[in-house]
């Protein structure tokens, strides 16, 4: 029973990402409230499970679970772990669950996701981007498999008129929550830069897992697919730098080595494709291609991959 | 019973291509001999069928069919309709069936196929490349479906020391055979140019049909895949021109229009993939990429497609 003020956290979208981070924060003593839909009954009855290769078998039970955002208490932080493709539908739910000056963190990949959501949110809310470096997927209702990693980098997007020091303080307080939960977390000076940096991994692996029906192990185990991944990574680095965001030196090769050391991983887009859900093509492909193109930077392999994925997902809304 | 000298033609590889052209030439009165393996019994018994959207239901019966090249009479022309991936195995059979100064025509796609086969053939043989503009596939043993087109462009590769006029005369006599069979045929001044020109179609459609599990109709019916096809075509045109082979103006757009007007077509590589046969990646992808690279011309989308196809076909020999 801590006397320290613990912010109240709401989880919007309790899939693999929302479930994992929500459980980890609740386990660290935060007051966490989960908005659920199809999984409400299972999670209310049996709790939320995370089978983690890092932290062991974790169970949160009981769970403060809600069917409706309007029933949630006002939350200081809202973590949005749903897919970018559903953000427009989630905006009113975020507004309902938010305290007046809440911080909304989009734990999502891709570029331009805050720009798209911002006009749909009350002006008083702070909007923050969160880049999750994690291998996790949903195994069954209320059950998340956490394979590796788990860090979260935060970058400030927009909110009420405050100065840079206050923005930084908000980011630091967010990072501190994740650190309290045993997770690495860094405040990034520039959100777009953070998003680009994460895309260097997502652009090749998400799309190629769908196109080639393969996980990271198979993709890294063959010389041609490995070379293709590297070419695409280097294009994304060039795109980022054309947009004014310097990437860490040797980023592509570091990510290749990191991925090779991971156990086999099927990115979220693979699962979305398998389940015939919409693919996050606008945020992960169209937005960075368009941003780079506006700076005169072509990304031909990335564009080819995007076009192939668009063909495969045509007609899926 | 024509008194005119009709050259004797041997067909090596009686699949869709060998079957179609062999039957058409036999129908025009040529003396055509077919080397068959798995289809020998069926074709000997029931003949060779071509179900043609252009020429109607055609049947050649009886067929001068052989199980062994050594049993064939010496042929003046040998048409090789097998896949490039089996050329090395076919070289001794070609030599056995050939008259001393025979003309060997490789009715095959890709670049560098004559260079690879030439050292395996007797020096006295003329080697010619044939580019078939045809939509055809094998429906069953001894049965070919001919959907559209049928033209053959010929280019001289190598042979006994003769002058340019004699080479041209040989090409013209080959074209005349095909014309006698009711097919368009043009003698090309430069074989590599003819091969590059054909690749402008094959590079995008063959690979994308495999990668996206789709025929021409679906690929042309979606804006992204159509744009991707066009990008790849333009890369192949650039590759050709970097290698010194001017392409006809507006070739890519003409091919797009032509393909759109065709009925749905699944290229040969699609059938090869479906049947888990080796894909013609060396001739259709590796050779042009390497030739263009040697001239400093990058073909990034083509390379990406090649790498993706290599991943898919890994382990298939």
């Amino acid at each position: 029973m801590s006397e320290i003020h613990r912010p109240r956290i709401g989880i919007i979208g309790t899939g693999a990402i929302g479930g994992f981070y929500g459980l980890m924060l609740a386990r660290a003593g935060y007051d966490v409230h989960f908005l659920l839909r199809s999984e409400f009954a299972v999670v209310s009855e049996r709790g939320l499970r995370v089978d983690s290769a890092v932290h062991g078998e974790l169970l949160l039970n009981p769970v403060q679970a809600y069917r409706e955002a309007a029933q949630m208490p006002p939350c200081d932080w809202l973590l949005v772990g749903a897919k970018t493709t559903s953000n427009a539908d989630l905006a009113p739910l975020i507004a309902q669950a938010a305290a007046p000056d809440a911080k909304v963190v989009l734990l999502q990949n891709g570029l331009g996701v805050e720009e798209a959501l911002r006009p749909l949110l009350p002006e008083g809310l702070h909007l923050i981007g969160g880049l999750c470096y994690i291998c996790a997927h949903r195994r069954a209702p209320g059950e998340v498999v956490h394979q590796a990693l788990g860090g979260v980098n935060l970058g400030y997007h927009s909110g009420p008129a405050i100065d840079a020091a206050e923005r930084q303080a908000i980011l630091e307080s967010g990072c501190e929550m994740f650190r309290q939960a045993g997770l690495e977390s860094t405040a990034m000076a520039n959100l777009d830069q953070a998003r680009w940096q994460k895309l260097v991994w997502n652009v090749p692996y998400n799309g190629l897992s769908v196109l080639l029906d393969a996980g990271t192990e198979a993709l890294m185990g063959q010389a041609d697919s490995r070379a293709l991944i590297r070419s695409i990574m280097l294009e994304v680095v060039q795109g980022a730098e054309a947009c004014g965001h310097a990437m860490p030196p040797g980023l592509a090769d570091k990510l290749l080595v990191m991925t090779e050391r991971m156990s086999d991983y099927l990115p979220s887009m693979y699962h979305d494709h398998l389940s015939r859900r919409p693919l996050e093509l606008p945020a992960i492909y169209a937005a960075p291609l368009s941003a780079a193109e506006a700076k005169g930077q072509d990304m031909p392999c990335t564009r080819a991959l995007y076009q192939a994925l668009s063909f495969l997902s045509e007609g899926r809304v």
Side-chain angles (χ1 to χ4, degrees), chain A:
Chain A
M1 294 297 172
S2 167
E3 293 297 308
I4 304 162
H5 169 68
R6 291 285 198 189
R8 186 187 288 142
I9 300 169
I11 305 293
I12 307 292
T14 309
I17 295 295
F20 173 78
Y21 287 104
L23 179 143
M24 292 298 282
L25 290 162
R27 197 165 154 259
Y30 289 94
D31 179 25
V32 186
H33 301 259
F34 295 83
L35 179 65
L36 294 135
R37 288 187 167 169
S38 59
E39 308 195 8
F40 177 82
V42 169
V43 170
S44 298
E45 190 187 332
R46 291 190 249 156
L48 190 60
R49 285 177 189 280
V50 171
D51 178 2
S52 170
V54 180
H55 309 283
E57 293 265 2
L58 308 177
L59 171 65
L60 179 68
N61 198 15
V63 171
Q64 303 187 104
Y66 304 82
R67 274 186 200 279
E68 303 288 340
Q71 298 161 353
M72 296 172 75
C75 295
D76 304 304
W77 288 82
L78 285 164
L79 308 187
V80 183
K83 290 290 155 59
T84 52
T85 46
S86 58
N87 280 0
D89 296 334
L90 295 179
L93 312 184
I94 293 169
Q96 286 173 343
D101 65 343
K103 292 76 163 172
V104 178
V105 184
L106 303 185
L107 297 176
Q108 299 177 324
N109 292 316
L111 203 65
V113 291
E114 289 82 12
E115 283 77 352
L117 184 61
R118 181 74 257 185
L120 309 176
L121 291 184
E123 287 181 11
L125 303 186
H126 299 275
L127 189 54
I128 292 167
L131 287 308
C132 303
Y133 289 82
I134 186 170
C135 296
H137 66 275
R138 192 174 149 284
R139 180 167 53 197
E143 290 188 34
V144 176
V145 177
H146 172 226
Q147 288 179 247
L149 307 174
V152 184
N153 291 346
L154 300 183
Y156 194 91
H157 181 264
S158 58
I162 53 172
D163 65 23
E166 288 171 296
R167 293 178 172 207
Q168 184 65 18
I170 287 174
L171 286 186
E172 283 299 341
S173 65
C175 292
E176 185 53 27
M177 291 192 320
F178 288 109
R179 289 190 209 116
Q180 287 290 328
L183 301 164
E184 287 183 26
S185 188
T186 305
M188 305 288 282
N190 185 306
L191 176 58
D192 272 353
Q193 183 168 37
R195 290 204 162 280
W196 271 105
Q197 191 167 322
K198 182 74 201 297
L199 283 169
V200 177
W201 197 93
N202 287 111
V203 168
Y205 290 104
N206 282 37
L208 290 175
S209 75
V210 171
L211 199 63
L212 301 178
D213 189 24
T216 54
E217 192 172 291
L219 293 172
M220 296 305 288
Q222 204 267 356
D224 291 287
S225 48
R226 195 189 153 100
L228 177 55
I229 288 164
R230 190 168 186 278
S231 301
I232 295 173
M233 284 184 169
L234 294 176
E235 280 188 1
V236 182
V237 167
Q238 285 186 314
E241 298 189 336
C243 292
H245 306 301
M247 292 287 108
L251 176 61
D253 289 315
K254 283 177 194 164
L255 290 176
L256 290 170
V257 169
M258 181 202 81
T259 307
E260 217 155 35
R261 289 182 183 159
M262 287 168 17
S263 61
D264 190 29
Y265 182 58
L266 291 161
S268 60
M269 192 171 280
Y270 182 90
H271 296 285
D272 291 338
H273 183 65
L274 205 65
S275 307
R276 303 196 60 75
R277 289 190 294 263
L279 306 185
E280 292 189 286
L281 302 183
I284 296 183
Y285 293 94
L289 280 165
S290 156
E293 195 183 6
K295 300 293 181 180
Q297 181 66 48
D298 193 19
M299 300 167 65
C301 297
T302 305
R303 183 167 32 79
L305 179 55
Y306 169 56
Q307 290 167 326
L309 293 166
S310 295
F311 176 83
L312 289 180
S313 71
E314 176 92 338
R316 204 178 306 170
V317 185

